[in-house]
Amino acid sequence: MSKTQQYTIDDLRYLMQRLRNKNDGCPWDIAQSYKTIAPSTIEEMYEVIDAIEHNDLSQLKEELGDLLFQIIFYAQLGTEDNAFDFTDITTAITEKLLRRHPHVFPDGTLQSRRANGADITPESIKESWNKIKQQERGSKGLDSLMADIPKALPATMRAIKLQKRAASIGFDWSDTDGVYQKIDEEIAEVKDAVTHQRRLANEHEQVDNNAMALAAEAVSEEIGDLLFSVINLARHLKVEPETALRIANNKFEERFSKMEKAATEQQTSLHDQDIRKLEQWWQNTKA
């Protein structure tokens, strides 16, 4: 049996060029832009994560290829716009990593090495990393510590980054006790906002729509503050909140599916049960 054909990054770049060729390329690929393929990039990223969480290395190989193709696609678009090419991308990330790892590349070159026995610690590396990133923000004219945190990040990830940036200058709780107190405070504020909203709803004939809308916004804002505080607790406990929530989602889905199976075995459906029966089945799935 002959060996399977092997392809390199250059082959993939050539393939991308062919797909975008206006004479004999693919009409769909030719029609794409940075914005139109952005949703696919997000989707591919989550498929990579899903393969990792399922420990499916064969699937991970495929998903990483799909994600790599997204980068190749952007590089081709940049080349066509005379903005950047694939080499510019690899150069930029290599320069950044060399700059951010002086404890590995002291002269800022790939060939340089630190002296044997040099005293480095995780704490000193973190301090150096933060200083370098601050210098990078300054060189870009970003005067705010938060300026370069993308607003398009998933909310949990952005919350973590905002909190870490604030913590880098000492604006943080010294221990988890303060975070627990903050969560209790936020829960109380949610309850107050909901109580106010319900009072207005009971007086709907005397209350205008604007007041009701403001009350609903207040509840939403307080829920957001509560979630932000819970994410802060996760950060202090060194728990990745996005991962923890995905695990909780999967656990809920599995237990609910068991409830549906139990109902089917009893020749009924969940729709036909009252809350007490549903709660009983739920506890059975947990047991």
Side-chain angles (χ1 to χ4, degrees):
M1 181 180 295
S2 61
K3 185 178 180 181
T4 304
Q5 174 71 49
Q6 299 290 298
Y7 296 103
T8 67
I9 192 72
D10 289 333
D11 294 322
L12 187 58
R13 293 172 63 187
Y14 174 72
L15 182 149
M16 184 71 254
Q17 293 169 12
R18 290 286 307 278
L19 292 176
R20 289 280 296 179
N21 189 294
K22 290 180 171 52
N23 295 321
D24 61 353
C26 171
W28 184 89
D29 289 286
I30 294 170
Q32 301 313 303
S33 66
Y34 302 106
K35 288 185 177 181
T36 61
I37 64 173
S40 297
T41 306
I42 296 173
E43 180 180 341
E44 299 298 351
M45 177 185 67
Y46 280 112
E47 289 180 358
V48 166
I49 295 172
D50 188 65
I52 292 172
E53 291 186 343
H54 285 87
N55 196 31
D56 189 338
L57 299 186
S58 176
Q59 187 66 22
L60 177 59
K61 176 187 67 176
E62 182 175 335
E63 300 302 346
L64 286 172
D66 291 342
L67 185 58
L68 175 60
F69 181 71
Q70 296 292 306
I71 298 172
I72 296 296
F73 209 139
Y74 289 117
Q76 179 63 27
L77 294 175
T79 299
E80 294 170 9
D81 290 341
N82 293 318
F84 58 85
D85 60 17
F86 187 76
T87 301
D88 292 327
I89 295 173
T90 57
T91 298
I93 185 58
T94 302
E95 288 178 344
K96 180 192 293 185
L97 293 174
L98 287 172
R99 184 170 62 249
R100 291 184 178 180
H101 293 80
H103 51 287
V104 179
F105 308 99
D107 296 338
T109 64
L110 286 172
Q111 292 73 32
S112 62
R113 293 177 178 273
R114 71 170 183 268
N116 290 334
D119 185 22
I120 60 171
T121 64
E123 291 75 18
S124 65
I125 292 173
K126 182 178 180 180
E127 182 180 356
S128 174
W129 180 275
N130 288 332
K131 286 181 179 179
I132 293 170
K133 293 188 71 173
Q134 186 173 352
Q135 292 170 356
E136 290 174 353
R137 287 192 292 272
S139 67
K140 295 177 182 178
L142 303 175
D143 54 358
S144 171
L145 193 63
M146 309 293 182
D148 60 339
I149 300 178
K151 295 186 182 297
L153 282 174
T156 53
M157 294 176 62
R158 189 160 192 269
I160 286 287
K161 285 186 174 291
L162 291 169
Q163 293 168 5
K164 284 183 176 180
R165 288 285 176 86
S168 71
I169 61 164
F171 188 66
D172 195 12
W173 302 105
S174 59
D175 53 41
T176 54
D177 288 345
V179 187
Y180 286 126
Q181 292 173 12
K182 185 62 176 176
I183 290 175
D184 290 339
E185 175 187 323
E186 297 298 350
I187 291 174
E189 291 181 2
V190 169
K191 289 180 178 178
D192 288 344
V194 171
T195 298
H196 177 65
Q197 183 185 43
R198 289 174 176 172
R199 181 176 61 78
L200 291 180
N202 292 332
E203 301 172 358
H204 64 277
E205 293 182 358
Q206 292 80 33
V207 179
D208 61 28
N209 291 333
N210 185 54
M212 290 297 296
L214 289 174
E217 288 178 10
V219 171
S220 177
E221 182 177 338
E222 297 300 344
I223 289 290
D225 291 344
L226 175 59
L227 291 171
F228 191 83
S229 296
V230 172
I231 290 171
N232 210 343
L233 176 63
R235 179 176 63 86
H236 275 265
L237 296 176
K238 294 180 170 43
V239 172
E240 216 304 307
E242 189 75 20
T243 300
L245 185 56
R246 280 201 302 272
I247 291 172
N249 288 341
N250 293 339
K251 183 167 61 177
F252 181 88
E253 182 181 20
E254 290 171 4
R255 288 175 176 174
F256 197 87
S257 296
K258 289 180 180 178
M259 288 173 60
E260 292 176 316
K261 182 179 179 181
T264 299
E265 290 173 349
Q266 296 183 30
Q267 297 183 334
T268 184
S269 74
L270 298 183
H271 297 283
D272 299 328
Q273 312 307 314
D274 60 24
I275 187 60
R276 287 177 297 181
K277 186 64 174 179
L278 291 174
E279 179 62 23
Q280 178 185 342
W281 276 344
W282 178 258
Q283 293 301 326
N284 289 341
T285 65
K286 292 175 67 175

